Amino acid sequence: MDKTAKIIIDNKTYEFPIVVGAENEKAIDISKLRDETGHITLDAGLANTGTCTSAITYVDGEKGILRYRGYPVEQIAENTTFVEVAYLLIYGELPTRAQLDKFSNSFTEQAMIHEDMKNFFDGYPSTGHPMGILSAMVCSLSAYYPEMQNPEPSKEEIDKIAVELLSKVRTISAFSYKKSIGQPFVYPRPDLKYVPNFLNMLFSSPAREYKIDEDIVSALRTLLILHADHEQNCSTSTVRLVGSSRANLFASISAGICALWGPLHGGANQAVIEMLKEIQRDGGNVKKYVDMAKDKSNAFRLMGFGHRIYKNFDPRAKIIKKQADKILNKLGIHDPLLDIAVKLEEIALKDSYFIERKLYPNVDFYSGIIYKAIGIPVEMFTVMFAIGRMPGWIAHWKEMIETPSLKIGRPRQVYTGQHQRNFIPIEQRR
Ligand code: ACO
């Protein structure tokens, strides 16, 4: 044991090992705390709890650093494709040309979903939120691919299931959008790459062939890459927790999609646009909304602001803001919502409330502006995030189930309810 931490309880000293990560991150290993002391730790929101060690993504929230498998996200966003990033996250290294071609080709082979699954879409109302449909459909894949339900899959099985999911999620998402607007499904095309194929499935119709624009492809690719992983966030931790029971990948990721849906997590991208529209409808008085966000008697928060980890800036938000400017210029769009967003950012960043709490625009603040410019409807924004996060979820699930000493996730609690009391028959209750 190198360094240890000492905990003194009732004058008795207990020692626990200190674990040091690759970037000098330090953790006290308290896995024996309860056995040795009879105590557990209490950490609402798991803000100080490491639930695993992981070699996938490194984040330094103070310095605004994000690295995938050691590579700075800025370099990755500039130089790679989404499929390449998926390979990097899942397998740990950038692929060679041959590896990438093989990986990419298998996406094309696996892009179709079982024809019977198309009927599921008819069961949903056209107003059904695509995140609910996506989660249900991803879980349903396990019914169609039962061979993928092996609780201890082989390496080959993991490779196959990873590609299946990455490829099919795009088809399912596009189909759910088509269902919501009452248009026929557009099937994946073998001649198109990942992002243009998806755009084509979304926007082509029997009446209009979608013209692929390289700048739009590039903007969407960047967004997907920037969302690809973010270590132990709410949805990834959900995937790991569900997967720790050895639930199959489809079931685990379906749960992760639900966790992402919430407005405090991935659902914030939809919530940002709704907030900007509300400010616009209300006459564009940005200061009023900043004041509302500061008012503790009001539950309103500035959507797209703040982050559990980033306390300086979100490196993804910087890249996305640049992309938003570029794509709006290119498309010749003047979006008044962007003007409101810029004003909001300006006012909030000068305000002591936001400065003291280190609240900055996060990845979701500007992503919606780009989705909107591309023509993606607001309800689909969080689905876009889910497609982007898929490689990260898969990489974490894989890393976890390949851990030899995998333990089921099972946190503790401090009980604050009634002591034991005797049952009261209904006639005697008041
Ligand atoms: N607007 C106003 N005040 C805020 C905001 C906000 N967006 N975010 C945090 N605060 C305040 C809190 O009220 C709290 O103030 P207090 O100390 O006076 O009580 C303080 O800042 C700390 O906030 P917490 O909620 O404790 O921070 P936490 O780390 O738990 O939450 C979160 C992080 C959920 C992202 C939060 O900042 C938030 O709700 N943001 C808005 C939703 C959002 O944009 N989510 C997307 C995050 S990125 C992602 O998931 C991909």
Side-chain angles (χ1 to χ4, degrees):
M1 220 189 287
D2 286 345
K3 278 192 176 171
T4 57
K6 292 191 173 106
I7 296 180
I8 304 167
I9 302 171
D10 295 335
N11 289 326
K12 191 168 172 207
T13 303
Y14 304 87
E15 258 184 278
F16 297 94
I18 289 182
V19 178
V20 182
E23 296 290 343
N24 210 24
E25 291 188 303
K26 298 184 189 78
I28 303 166
D29 176 353
I30 50 99
S31 45
K32 300 220 164 55
L33 181 72
R34 188 169 174 278
D35 287 347
E36 292 185 11
T37 70
H39 291 65
I40 61 165
T41 53
L42 185 61
D43 182 19
L46 300 175
N48 300 287
T49 298
T51 53
C52 61
T53 57
S54 176
I56 300 170
T57 289
Y58 174 67
V59 182
D60 181 330
E62 266 67 38
K63 297 195 183 124
I65 292 174
L66 170 60
R67 294 183 200 137
Y68 295 161
R69 299 285 189 181
Y71 297 105
V73 75
E74 294 81 2
Q75 289 179 24
I76 291 287
E78 188 76 27
N79 297 299
T80 57
T81 66
F82 180 60
V83 172
E84 221 173 337
V85 172
Y87 187 99
L88 171 69
L89 288 170
I90 296 171
Y91 298 110
E93 294 297 337
L94 285 166
T96 61
R97 169 62 57 202
Q99 285 166 332
L100 182 61
D101 287 347
K102 187 167 171 245
F103 193 55
S104 207
N105 289 341
S106 39
F107 276 73
T108 311
E109 284 159 26
Q110 301 300 339
M112 301 287 286
I113 54 170
H114 196 291
E115 269 302 283
D116 289 355
M117 281 189 78
K118 272 176 33 190
N119 301 326
F120 287 14
F121 290 96
D122 293 333
Y124 291 104
S126 58
T127 51
H129 197 288
M131 280 299 273
I133 300 175
L134 181 66
S135 169
M137 285 290 181
V138 166
C139 200
S140 303
L141 285 171
S142 52
Y144 284 87
Y145 303 92
E147 71 277 13
M148 294 301 161
Q149 287 182 38
N150 181 358
E152 292 186 37
S154 64
K155 196 185 156 310
E156 292 69 33
E157 282 171 327
I158 294 175
D159 288 352
K160 186 164 184 302
I161 194 175
V163 166
E164 294 240 4
L165 191 50
L166 280 163
S167 193
K168 290 184 194 330
V169 75
R170 177 183 56 161
T171 312
I172 292 171
S173 304
F175 281 17
S176 73
Y177 169 62
K178 285 297 195 190
K179 163 74 190 173
S180 74
I181 56 167
Q183 281 189 7
F185 300 138
V186 174
Y187 281 73
R189 270 177 36 189
D191 59 315
L192 291 178
K193 295 281 182 203
Y194 194 92
V195 174
N197 213 343
F198 177 59
L199 286 165
N200 185 62
M201 282 192 272
L202 278 183
F203 296 127
S204 266
S205 74
R208 189 179 77 111
E209 194 178 332
Y210 179 69
K211 205 168 157 298
I212 290 168
D213 178 311
E214 270 317 310
D215 287 322
I216 291 181
V217 169
S218 160
L220 187 53
R221 183 187 292 134
T222 306
L223 282 178
L224 294 181
I225 290 173
L226 293 176
H227 285 93
D229 192 43
H230 210 245
E231 51 120 300
Q232 309 309 319
N233 53 81
C234 177
S235 54
T236 304
S237 299
T238 301
V239 170
R240 278 189 177 258
L241 190 60
V242 174
S244 76
S245 74
R246 297 213 178 260
N248 66 63
L249 179 67
F250 299 125
S252 308
I253 290 204
S254 167
I257 292 169
C258 291
L260 186 74
W261 193 357
L264 296 192
H265 191 14
N269 56 17
Q270 177 174 343
V272 168
I273 293 292
E274 283 161 358
M275 174 187 76
L276 296 176
K277 281 186 179 161
E278 175 57 31
I279 298 175
Q280 186 187 35
R281 260 195 305 270
D282 199 18
N285 187 350
V286 169
K287 190 170 174 308
K288 174 178 163 188
Y289 286 82
V290 172
D291 289 343
M292 257 162 66
K294 288 157 53 178
D295 178 359
K296 290 290 164 198
S297 64
N298 191 326
F300 175 79
R301 282 186 167 199
L302 281 192
M303 288 292 127
F305 264 77
H307 197 277
R308 172 61 64 77
I309 305 285
Y310 292 121
K311 300 297 173 199
N312 188 348
F313 65 93
D314 181 339
R316 302 165 301 174
K318 275 195 166 178
I319 302 172
I320 288 179
K321 174 138 193 270
K322 267 198 215 146
Q323 276 284 0
D325 289 339
K326 195 172 145 198
I327 203 77
L328 292 181
N329 268 339
K330 141 100 196 185
L331 297 175
I333 296 175
H334 173 243
D335 189 342
L337 293 190
L338 183 62
D339 296 342
I340 295 176
V342 170
K343 223 194 255 173
L344 195 63
E345 186 182 355
E346 257 171 37
I347 295 182
L349 291 185
K350 284 192 198 127
D351 192 298
S352 60
Y353 174 96
F354 291 87
I355 295 169
E356 279 159 21
R357 289 168 182 76
K358 301 187 173 172
L359 302 170
Y360 298 87
N362 59 48
V363 67
D364 286 325
F365 193 64
Y366 285 106
S367 61
I369 303 273
I370 301 181
Y371 293 138
K372 196 165 163 281
I374 294 175
I376 293 170
V378 175
E379 296 71 35
M380 284 291 289
F381 286 4
T382 317
V383 169
M384 305 306 296
F385 193 152
I387 298 173
R389 186 52 56 85
M390 206 54 66
W393 287 334
I394 294 171
H396 282 274
W397 181 86
K398 178 173 181 290
E399 182 178 66
M400 184 191 63
I401 61 157
E402 287 176 348
T403 306
S405 54
L406 168 61
K407 280 175 90 119
I408 187 168
R410 205 305 184 186
R412 295 255 173 192
Q413 64 165 20
V414 175
Y415 174 69
T416 58
Q418 300 280 354
H419 292 296
Q420 180 176 324
R421 48 188 176 159
N422 289 329
F423 176 77
I424 307 166
I426 195 159
E427 301 74 28
Q428 293 170 24
R429 286 178 217 160
R430 288 196 215 131

